[in-house]
C-alpha cells in the first residue's frame, strides 16, 4: 500500500508578519539600488556593473534565506500526518476515506519550488479539506521536495479514482 508521511503545517501569523517585513526590506533594497543607478550615485563607470552586482547579490541572499529557513520562516511543523490509499492518520487518529465526505486534496507546492518572480515556496500550502461526522476540517500539510511532490500527486490521483468508484 502506498503512503506518504509528512507533518501538519501550522501557520503562524507572527512569523508570517515578520517574513512580510523582511520581504518588503528586500524589495526596498532592490528599489534603492535601482534608484542609485538611475541617479548616478554609484559612479559613472561602475554604475551598470555595480547595480547588476548588487541586485544579483540581494536576490541570491533572499533565495538562500528562503531555502535555509524553509517552513520555519512562516509557521511550524505540527503532528505527524500520513496520507495512505485508505485514509489519513494523524497522531493516534485514523480517518478512513469511507467516513469522510466532501474530500478535496490540494497538491500545490513543495519546499524549494521556485516562485514566479523570485524566492522559493516553503512547501506548506498544500491543503486537505473534508467533513467528518458533520464537522468541516481543513488541514495544511508539508511536502519536502520535488520527488515527494510527484509521489503525492500520484497517490492523490489514486485516492481520487478510488473515492469516485465508491
Amino acid at each position: 500500500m502506498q503512503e506518504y508521511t509528512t507533518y501538519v503545517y501550522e501557520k503562524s501569523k507572527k512569523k508570517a508578519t515578520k517574513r512580510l517585513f523582511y520581504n518588503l526590506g528586500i524589495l526596498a533594497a532592490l528599489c534603492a539600488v535601482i534608484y542609485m543607478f538611475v541617479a548616478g550615485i554609484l559612479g559613472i563607470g561602475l554604475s551598470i556593473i555595480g547595480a547588476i552586482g548588487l541586485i544579483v547579490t540581494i536576490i541570491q541572499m533572499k533565495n538562500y534565506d528562503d531555502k535555509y529557513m524553509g517552513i520555519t520562516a512562516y509557521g511550524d511543523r505540527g503532528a505527524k500526518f500520513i496520507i495512505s490509499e485508505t485514509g489519513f492518520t494523524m497522531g493516534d487518529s485514523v480517518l478512513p476515506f469511507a467516513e469522510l465526505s466532501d474530500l478535496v486534496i490540494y497538491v500545490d507546492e513543495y519546499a524549494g519550488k521556485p516562485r514566479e518572480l523570485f524566492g522559493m515556496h516553503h512547501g506548506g500550502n498544500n491543503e486537505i479539506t473534508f467533513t467528518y461526522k458533520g464537522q468541516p476540517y481543513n488541514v495544511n500539510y508539508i511536502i519536502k521536495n520535488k520527488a515527494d511532490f510527484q509521489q503525492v500527486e500520484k497517490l492523490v490521483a489514486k485516492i481520487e479514482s478510488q473515492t469516485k468508484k465508491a
Side-chain angles (χ1 to χ4, degrees):
M1 177 171 55
Q2 193 178 11
E3 67 179 28
Y4 179 69
T5 303
T6 185
Y7 293 92
V8 172
Y9 170 60
E10 298 172 350
K11 295 178 182 179
S12 168
K13 194 162 188 94
K14 182 180 177 183
K15 286 184 176 184
T17 303
K18 182 179 177 182
R19 197 67 180 174
L20 175 66
F21 284 117
Y22 171 79
N23 289 334
L24 289 174
I26 292 289
L27 184 63
L30 288 172
C31 290
V33 169
I34 292 169
Y35 172 76
M36 287 190 298
F37 169 69
V38 172
I41 296 172
L42 291 176
I44 296 170
L46 297 176
S47 60
I48 294 173
I49 295 170
I52 291 172
L54 285 171
I55 288 171
V56 168
T57 301
I58 291 169
I59 289 173
Q60 289 300 340
M61 283 176 26
K62 166 95 172 97
N63 284 341
Y64 176 79
D65 190 56
D66 283 352
K67 188 173 183 177
Y68 176 73
M69 291 292 291
I71 197 79
T72 59
Y74 297 91
D76 299 302
R77 285 181 173 84
K80 188 175 184 180
F81 186 66
I82 300 172
I83 303 169
S84 70
E85 293 177 19
T86 57
F88 303 124
T89 304
M90 189 182 319
D92 295 334
S93 303
V94 177
L95 301 171
F97 292 135
E99 297 179 20
L100 306 178
S101 60
D102 303 325
L103 175 65
V104 180
I105 304 173
Y106 297 98
V107 184
D108 292 329
E109 67 177 46
Y110 56 90
K113 179 180 178 184
R115 290 189 182 271
E116 292 74 27
L117 186 55
F118 71 93
M120 298 179 184
H121 291 278
H122 55 71
N125 285 334
N126 304 294
E127 186 176 37
I128 298 172
T129 60
F130 58 90
T131 304
Y132 179 66
K133 295 183 179 179
Q135 181 74 23
Y137 290 92
N138 183 6
V139 177
N140 284 64
Y141 65 98
I142 301 166
I143 298 179
K144 295 176 275 194
N145 54 43
K146 188 173 185 175
D148 287 350
F149 181 81
Q150 293 168 340
Q151 177 188 351
V152 174
E153 279 185 321
K154 289 176 186 175
L155 179 59
V156 168
K158 196 173 210 178
I159 292 167
E160 287 176 347
S161 68
Q162 289 174 354
T163 55
K164 287 180 183 176
K165 290 177 187 176

